[in-house]
């Protein structure tokens, strides 16, 4: 019973296919827009809240490191806003 039944999946490596690259770019842009919209909605909810010294309670703090989001066409790198 030493039979190995593990099947390697080789369909997710990076490709040079122009259509796949177009789809990845579109997915990346849509994800970035969704993240930006979510952040804008969150920030809007706190825009009138101030600390005692009149500074904003919630402020943007830049970007977190790029992360991969797994999609149907493979991982897509996106910037996370904070």
């Amino acid at each position: 019973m030493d039979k190995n039944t593990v099947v390697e999946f080789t369909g997710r490596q990076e490709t040079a296919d122009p259509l796949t690259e177009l789809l990845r770019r579109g997915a990346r842009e849509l994800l970035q827009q969704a993240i930006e919209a979510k952040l804008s909605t969150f920030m809007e909810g706190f825009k009138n809240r101030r600390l005692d010294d009149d500074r904003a309670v919630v402020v943007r703090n830049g970007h977190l490191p790029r992360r991969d989001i797994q999609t149907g066409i493979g991982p897509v790198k996106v910037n996370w806003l904070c």
Side-chain angles (χ1 to χ4, degrees):
M1 291 281 218
D2 277 351
K3 251 185 174 172
N4 184 356
T5 59
V6 175
V7 177
E8 292 293 325
F9 183 69
T10 60
R12 296 283 188 213
Q13 66 269 18
E14 294 292 323
T15 63
D17 175 32
L19 180 58
T20 301
E21 291 306 314
L22 177 67
L23 291 171
R24 279 181 200 220
R25 186 172 45 241
R28 184 179 307 113
E29 290 171 5
L30 285 173
L31 287 167
Q32 288 293 146
Q33 289 172 5
I35 292 167
E36 185 68 39
K38 183 72 173 172
L39 179 63
S40 294
T41 301
F42 176 79
M43 296 293 293
E44 187 69 24
F46 289 94
K47 73 177 184 179
N48 294 324
R49 300 214 34 209
R50 298 298 221 186
L51 297 172
D52 293 336
D53 60 357
D54 204 36
R55 289 182 297 148
V57 171
V58 178
V59 295
R60 288 186 72 158
N61 198 23
H63 294 270
L64 293 172
R66 279 191 139 184
R67 297 184 183 173
D68 286 340
I69 293 181
Q70 186 63 39
T71 67
I73 58 170
V76 174
K77 292 189 179 301
V78 295
N79 290 326
W80 291 95
L81 306 171
C82 55

